Amino acid sequence: MTEFRLTRELTCSPERAWTMLTDPIQMNRWSTAAIALRALGAGDRPDAVGTLRTVTLPGGRVRLKEVVERVEFARSFSYRVYDGGPALLDHSGTQEIVPTASGCTLTWTVRMRLVIGPATPVIARTVRRQVAESLDLLAELTPPESAVAPAATPRTIRLLPPLREEASRILDGQRAIAERLAASNDPKQWFARVYAYVTEEMIAACDRGVLDRPDWVLTLIPRFDAFYTRNLDAYERGEECEPMWQRAWSTCERRDERRPHRPVMAGLMSGVAAHIDADLPRAIAQVHRDRFADCDLREFLPDYLRLAPVFTAASDRLLGDLPRSHTPWWTGVAARVHPQVRDALIARRGYDVARHRMAAFASAVADSCDGRAAEPR
């Protein structure tokens, strides 16, 4: 990880500096990179948690998609790049404003890391120069009127031990399903395993303390499981289940004696699609309506994006479980490529997990604003 920090003295109040730093319209007055607002954050604000922006670097070839992660009005503003292309592993920034007798001091800290480690400090020097040029322009501008501070909202984190215990119980049940299917050599076992791995990775993320609202994530797990187990039970009894799960389970059961890895991969993709496209939007909307209605759903978007790696981790664990006959030919090559690069290549030719996850969250936000939970599409 490479980090740099730049400081400028501004002859305006912290509130007016805040407007210049967080409003994309004002940012384009001084930023050498073009800033585009993609989605408003909590409270329909451009300076709130959950705001999405696209930053196009000078030259126009590199676009970074950012999410606003933490906000303390007129004092601190933090963002992270959640999609910067396969070569960028991490890029985040924090802008801190401190009042002074003549105005305020702005300190901008940027952290970044690339897949190719030695390239990180080289690229960081270029980014540092561009940020410095932008700040020089900022210091010369007359700021607009101050932004209005956001209204205070309650922040009550639910007790974690009971939620963690319930999530663990759900995980035990999912493992039991995978073991039962494996015992009868049922090919649905492979998706059942990866589903349990996803749950395990979500719980691990909560345990590592990398999430702002682990209570929200732990509350989601039983909702996901209810859709998953209900549809599996219906399918195994020969009853009608939801269309995407019908397609997923029937695809999982296909066999190809000559190329056994093909139905396995097809089944995994169908199952992931059912989980993300059918279950995610309604589970998120229902949990918000039932348990977190005192919050703006967009406040949870940073945590939702932080969970993106769980799908890669679960898939890698499953590839380690598959017998050699069921392992795709490309896994040997993929093992030599960074998972982020591999995922980008797979997304171009198959199911784009990142894009569909963003669409699922947007759908949940729309449904929660309408006061209803999404039904499967």
Side-chain angles (χ1 to χ4, degrees):
M1 183 75 74
T2 295
E3 177 179 300
F4 65 83
R5 183 175 289 107
L6 296 170
T7 300
R8 292 292 187 276
E9 298 296 327
L10 304 179
T11 57
C12 65
S13 68
E15 292 77 15
R16 299 184 86 179
W18 177 268
T19 302
M20 292 290 285
L21 290 168
T22 62
D23 183 343
I25 294 176
Q26 299 299 326
M27 294 171 70
N28 283 312
R29 296 175 60 196
W30 54 265
S31 175
T32 58
I35 313 298
L37 179 66
R38 296 183 58 239
L40 294 169
D44 292 326
R45 295 177 62 104
D47 59 350
V49 171
T51 296
L52 298 177
R53 312 185 298 199
T54 297
V55 179
T56 303
L57 300 184
R61 292 189 298 176
V62 179
R63 288 182 174 83
L64 309 177
K65 295 179 180 179
E66 294 179 347
V67 60
V68 177
E69 292 197 315
R70 297 182 179 93
V71 166
E72 188 175 358
F73 180 72
R75 296 187 63 179
S76 180
F77 184 85
S78 297
Y79 62 88
R80 181 175 66 86
V81 174
Y82 67 89
D83 183 357
L88 183 64
L89 289 181
D90 193 6
H91 185 147
S92 60
T94 300
Q95 298 164 328
E96 296 175 307
I97 307 171
V98 177
T100 64
S102 58
C104 62
T105 299
L106 166 66
T107 301
W108 192 341
T109 304
V110 176
R111 296 163 291 276
M112 59 186 304
R113 181 164 58 102
L114 302 178
V115 168
I116 302 175
T120 301
V122 177
I123 300 300
R125 283 195 291 271
T126 299
V127 175
R128 188 184 194 280
R129 174 177 53 78
Q130 293 170 348
V131 173
E133 292 174 0
S134 297
L135 290 179
D136 290 341
L137 292 172
L138 171 64
E140 296 174 359
L141 293 175
T142 301
E145 294 299 318
S146 303
V148 177
T153 55
R155 295 290 181 275
T156 303
I157 296 182
R158 277 68 176 171
L159 292 176
L160 293 181
L163 297 174
R164 177 65 168 76
E165 182 178 346
E166 173 67 5
S168 296
R169 185 188 67 77
I170 293 295
L171 176 58
D172 289 341
Q174 292 174 0
R175 288 170 172 164
I177 290 173
E179 291 170 1
R180 172 176 64 79
L181 295 172
S184 60
N185 198 28
D186 189 320
K188 294 192 296 296
Q189 65 173 295
W190 305 119
F191 180 74
R193 287 194 193 195
V194 82
Y195 199 96
Y197 288 153
V198 168
T199 298
E200 186 176 341
E201 294 291 336
M202 290 177 67
I203 294 173
C206 294
D207 292 344
R208 289 196 302 270
V210 298
L211 304 174
D212 292 333
R213 295 299 301 265
D215 56 333
W216 179 70
V217 174
L218 291 172
T219 305
L220 283 171
I221 288 173
R223 295 297 178 102
F224 295 148
D225 182 75
F227 297 132
Y228 165 69
T229 54
R230 184 181 72 200
N231 280 284
L232 177 59
D233 289 345
Y235 182 82
E236 291 187 317
R237 291 195 302 267
E239 300 172 358
E240 182 179 0
C241 59
E242 293 167 6
M244 291 199 72
W245 280 111
Q246 176 71 33
R247 186 180 311 118
W249 294 127
S250 60
T251 302
C252 286
E253 289 187 330
R254 295 175 185 169
R255 297 178 186 270
D256 186 334
E257 299 302 328
R258 293 181 56 194
R259 292 165 294 189
H261 68 277
R262 285 199 171 186
V264 171
M265 294 298 108
L268 289 176
M269 288 298 97
S270 293
V272 168
H275 170 68
I276 294 177
D277 296 339
D279 293 355
L280 264 180
R282 53 182 172 165
I284 293 171
Q286 288 176 2
V287 164
H288 180 256
R289 180 196 63 200
D290 296 344
R291 303 289 295 276
F292 296 90
D294 59 336
C295 301
D296 190 309
L297 179 53
R298 289 166 291 191
E299 295 176 21
F300 301 105
L301 180 55
D303 275 346
Y304 181 77
L305 292 171
R306 292 182 190 117
L307 289 173
V310 306
F311 290 90
T312 298
S315 298
D316 286 346
R317 291 178 64 181
L318 181 71
L319 288 175
D321 292 344
L322 289 172
R324 193 165 185 177
S325 60
H326 289 59
T327 304
W329 65 268
W330 47 261
T331 54
V333 177
R336 304 185 188 95
V337 178
H338 192 278
Q340 185 161 298
V341 177
R342 183 192 64 210
D343 289 349
L345 293 173
I346 293 174
R348 291 182 182 181
R349 303 192 62 179
Y351 183 82
D352 190 335
V353 170
R355 181 171 64 82
H356 283 263
R357 287 188 79 243
M358 288 300 296
F361 194 90
S363 177
V365 169
D367 289 330
S368 66
C369 290
D370 289 342
R372 57 186 173 82
E375 290 305 319
R377 290 166 171 75

